[in-house]
Amino acid sequence: MSKVCHSCGRGPAFGQSRSHSMRATKRRFDPNLQKVRIFVGAAPRRVYVCTRCLKAGKVSKAV
């Protein structure tokens, strides 16, 4: 299972860390993903959903 949001498809973004001397090293910005039980079709499944989608109500949790 890849680390992308099931709802919006957000995955890691890449950039550079800059030290005091402005030397660049690669870094990774990971989205805040939570593993939650949601209804996918008719059956509940555990999938990764970003907290933006959870807060916006784009997915409904399976109880």
Side-chain angles (χ1 to χ4, degrees):
M1 185 180 288
S2 60
K3 291 281 190 155
V4 295
C5 178
H6 180 78
S7 177
C8 65
R10 279 185 67 206
F14 298 92
Q16 293 176 333
S17 290
R18 293 288 180 157
S19 68
H20 181 68
S21 64
M22 291 300 285
R23 184 177 172 89
T25 55
K26 293 189 189 296
R27 63 158 296 180
R28 178 177 163 131
F29 297 91
D30 288 320
N32 189 358
L33 296 175
Q34 305 295 317
K35 202 167 194 180
V36 292
R37 284 179 75 230
I38 63 168
F39 282 110
V40 178
R45 275 182 50 197
R46 284 194 194 277
V47 294
Y48 286 108
V49 179
C50 67
T51 51
R52 271 191 191 180
C53 292
L54 285 172
K55 193 173 180 182
K58 292 184 181 178
V59 293
S60 58
K61 286 187 177 181
V63 180

